[in-house]
Amino acid sequence: MTAPHPDTDFTLLLHAYGTAADTPARLRDLVSRDERARWALLHLDSAIVHQGTPWTATGPVASHVCALVGRDALPDARTLTGVLAFLHDVAQAAVLVADDLDGLAHPAGRDVDAEVAALLNGPDPEEGHDLIYEDAELADAVMARAVLSCREVLPAVAAAAAHALTHPDGQVRAAAEETAAMAREATDLVAAQRANTRSA
């Protein structure tokens, strides 16, 4: 899979700069053997996870990237190292804590998916993006879903890192070790948080 999953509608997902409609092209560029791969890495590091903050596009993008790592589809060690650093940040974002994350993601009486779709499918999607964050409850739901999407992809991140541990390049292996450690730590922390929530 070098193109994103066809069932993923990136026009209804968000990154740091608005809708993620531009993201599928960047993901295809990751497998390029030219400067496009560098720009694709910049997109991951600036838009898909921005200064530690995940967005609703983060989980689906991470899932796609993990598949590329597992299939050895990336063009060189530099790109693979950058991708592993991105996956490290995804695992780190999975442990962002909020009270009742599931409750925030699904506010009573609201259809978050439908509301976001209506705003992003309006005449000005960028204005719709801004309106999401003017509604505090809707903004909380979107951000909670972003963190949950990172949690869902933790097993794939761990598997991708484990696969890269066998790479012949030392920098790749070092990045894989850091990402694998972060994935383990995040998985343990999320499990502990869930246990605490059930016992409360």
Side-chain angles (χ1 to χ4, degrees), residues 59-76:
V61 168
S63 179
H64 173 77
V65 167
C66 287
L68 294 180
V69 174
R71 290 176 44 248
D72 298 317
L74 297 170
D76 52 45

Side-chain angles (χ1 to χ4, degrees), residues 129-193:
H129 165 262
D130 293 338
L131 290 173
I132 290 171
Y133 298 104
E134 291 180 10
D135 181 328
E137 188 174 57
L138 186 59
D140 284 346
V142 166
M143 298 312 294
R145 289 171 180 224
V147 176
L148 290 171
S149 78
C150 293
R151 295 182 176 190
E152 290 171 4
V153 81
L154 280 174
V157 171
H163 179 77
L165 285 171
T166 64
H167 196 277
D169 185 275
Q171 287 188 322
V172 169
R173 293 196 303 274
E177 288 173 2
E178 291 183 6
T179 300
M182 187 68 246
R184 287 193 299 270
E185 180 181 345
T187 299
D188 291 345
L189 286 171
V190 168
Q193 290 169 12

Side-chain angles (χ1 to χ4, degrees), residues 10-15 18-24 43 48 57:
F10 279 91
T11 66
L12 299 182
L13 298 176
L14 300 167
H15 59 44
T19 71
D22 58 339
T23 296
H43 184 75
I48 304 303

Side-chain angles (χ1 to χ4, degrees), residues 3 7 13 15 18 22 24-25 28 33 45 53 61 67-68 79 84 106 117 119 121 131 133 138 141 151 196:
D7 292 338
L13 298 176
H15 59 44
D22 58 339
R28 288 190 291 271
R33 295 185 178 276
D45 292 337
T53 301
V61 168
L68 294 180
T79 302
L84 288 166
H106 303 282
L119 289 170
N121 284 327
L131 290 173
Y133 298 104
L138 186 59
R151 295 182 176 190
N196 289 338

Side-chain angles (χ1 to χ4, degrees), residues 2 15 22-49 61 64-65 68 74-75 78-79 82-83 86:
T2 56
H15 59 44
D22 58 339
T23 296
R26 301 290 77 76
L27 292 177
R28 288 190 291 271
D29 287 345
L30 271 178
V31 300
S32 301
R33 295 185 178 276
D34 55 33
E35 195 62 23
R36 288 176 296 170
R38 310 295 170 248
W39 288 107
L41 285 176
L42 180 62
H43 184 75
L44 297 182
D45 292 337
S46 63
I48 304 303
V49 175
V61 168
H64 173 77
V65 167
L68 294 180
L74 297 170
R78 180 180 174 187
T79 302
V83 160
F86 162 73

